[in-house]
Amino acid sequence: MMTDLPLDQVRTLLSVVDEGTFDAAAAALHVTPSAVSQRVKALEQRTGRVLLVRTKPVRPTESGEVVVRFARQLARLERDARAELGMSDDGEPTRVSIAVNADSLSTWFLGALTRVPERSRLCFELRREDETRTAALLREGRVMAAVTSSPDPVAGCSVRTLGRMRYVAAASPDFAERHLDGPLRDALVHAPVLAFDRSDDLQDAFVRRLRRSRRGASAVRHFVPASEGFVEAVAAGLGWGLVPEVQADALLRAGRLVPLAPDRTVDVPLYWQQWKLDSPALAAVAEAVVATAAEALRG
């Protein structure tokens, strides 16, 4: 059980992962590198698992990720307890790390953070990541909470439904006139397309559903890894793309964008996952996020 693990060894493992090397961890902990190595080896012997891959920087194994996540949760509980007991004498606010996808970050998520009461004295550390990959940061223990597209909770986490973010296929009027003449299902196979990055499958999935085939969008594609930049690139005529409804509305009304298939919008379900901790900080953030999502996303 986790409670049987020596806390000094657990904290040492976390320091090695955060610092990247045994020497750097030793400096941070004010001990010798030999002591760090001995603690990690003792922890591996106690668990019967290899916990670290000895690369530069080191990285936790799958078993190591479990221990690292436990170490971060333990540190969070310790800070919360000290604060409630009035034992925090450093005056530092509580830091909450959150993974969030770019489109949420650019539309509704920051508004949620402004609703967290100032008396909570929180600082936010946001990690921007695709909603299909934010859960991995939770699993690795690198963040305390995340906006994800998965309803399946990461081990040690709870999950709540936030709503659906709607996307519309759009292009500039000039682009549509030049590239999208004829049946849309055929034109999109050849027309230049925009994607957020190489992992973005939204546009390809849209084309596959439209064509009812396994063929996706054109190989002529531009990668724009920023939500606002992506929308501007579509409006500028660089390619077509799926744009969040909330960002597309004003551009559609202004005539800078035209919808390509108004009856074929794409809804991406979003969920809030967080560590299962009785943490006032996490509870305050979760309440604000869920309330804001209820107003900004589709049910």
Side-chain angles (χ1 to χ4, degrees):
M1 295 176 61
M2 284 296 188
T3 53
D4 296 327
L5 301 181
L7 297 185
D8 63 328
Q9 295 175 8
V10 169
R11 290 176 175 132
T12 298
L13 181 77
L14 176 60
S15 182
V16 173
V17 171
D18 284 346
E19 299 298 331
T21 67
F22 283 71
D23 288 345
L29 295 172
H30 306 291
V31 298
T32 65
S34 176
V36 170
S37 179
Q38 290 172 9
R39 290 178 189 178
V40 171
K41 287 180 180 178
L43 187 59
E44 289 181 323
Q45 290 173 352
R46 192 177 191 91
T47 59
R49 309 284 182 88
V50 174
L51 301 176
L52 291 178
V53 179
R54 270 70 168 177
T55 54
K56 286 192 176 181
V58 299
R59 57 185 177 84
T61 62
E62 186 173 343
S63 297
E65 288 176 357
V66 175
V67 180
V68 167
R69 185 168 64 245
F70 167 68
R72 295 194 195 282
Q73 292 174 344
L74 183 67
R76 170 79 275 144
L77 286 173
E78 183 177 2
R79 285 193 292 269
D80 286 346
R82 290 179 63 85
E84 289 190 49
L85 291 170
M87 296 173 61
S88 296
D89 55 7
D90 55 11
E92 290 188 5
T94 299
R95 185 167 298 279
V96 179
S97 54
I98 307 170
V100 58
N101 60 306
D103 289 337
S104 291
L105 187 59
S106 297
T107 53
W108 64 273
F109 192 79
L110 292 180
L113 299 187
T114 65
R115 297 172 71 161
V116 177
E118 290 188 10
R119 63 178 180 274
S120 301
R121 298 194 71 246
L122 304 183
C123 284
F124 302 108
E125 181 177 354
L126 302 183
R127 297 280 298 269
R128 189 186 68 181
E129 187 59 270
D130 184 86
E131 65 272 10
T132 62
R133 302 199 297 271
T134 50
L137 296 178
L138 267 177
R139 192 175 299 108
E140 295 166 5
R142 297 187 179 277
V143 296
M144 304 173 189
V147 175
T148 80
S149 61
S150 173
D152 302 319
V154 171
C157 294
S158 61
V159 59
R160 299 170 70 176
T161 299
L162 293 177
R164 295 173 293 118
M165 177 167 279
R166 175 158 291 182
Y167 291 80
V168 296
S172 71
D174 179 65
F175 180 91
E177 184 178 346
R178 286 186 290 115
H179 293 282
L180 303 178
D181 186 28
L184 185 65
R185 65 188 304 275
D186 297 324
L188 291 184
V189 172
H190 305 289
V193 63
L194 283 157
F196 190 81
D197 56 27
R198 295 182 184 276
S199 299
D200 180 7
D201 187 56
L202 205 59
Q203 283 70 215
D204 289 304
F206 176 80
V207 175
R208 287 195 294 267
R209 284 194 298 270
L210 189 66
R211 292 177 55 82
R212 296 183 181 178
S213 73
R214 298 200 300 185
R215 184 169 183 179
S218 170
V220 181
R221 61 184 61 201
H222 309 286
F223 299 107
V224 183
S227 187
E228 298 91 340
F230 184 96
V231 176
E232 282 302 314
V234 174
L238 195 60
W240 73 274
L242 283 153
V243 179
E245 181 182 49
V246 65
Q247 291 177 304
D249 280 348
L251 295 172
L252 290 168
R253 290 196 301 269
R256 293 188 61 197
L257 290 180
V258 294
L260 304 184
D263 59 336
R264 289 181 175 270
T265 55
V266 175
D267 287 350
V268 175
L270 296 177
Y271 303 88
W272 175 253
Q273 295 205 38
Q274 69 176 60
W275 290 348
K276 285 182 180 178
L277 294 182
D278 185 15
S279 168
L282 279 178
V285 175
E287 182 178 348
V289 168
V290 171
T292 304
E295 298 170 358
L297 302 177
R298 291 180 173 266

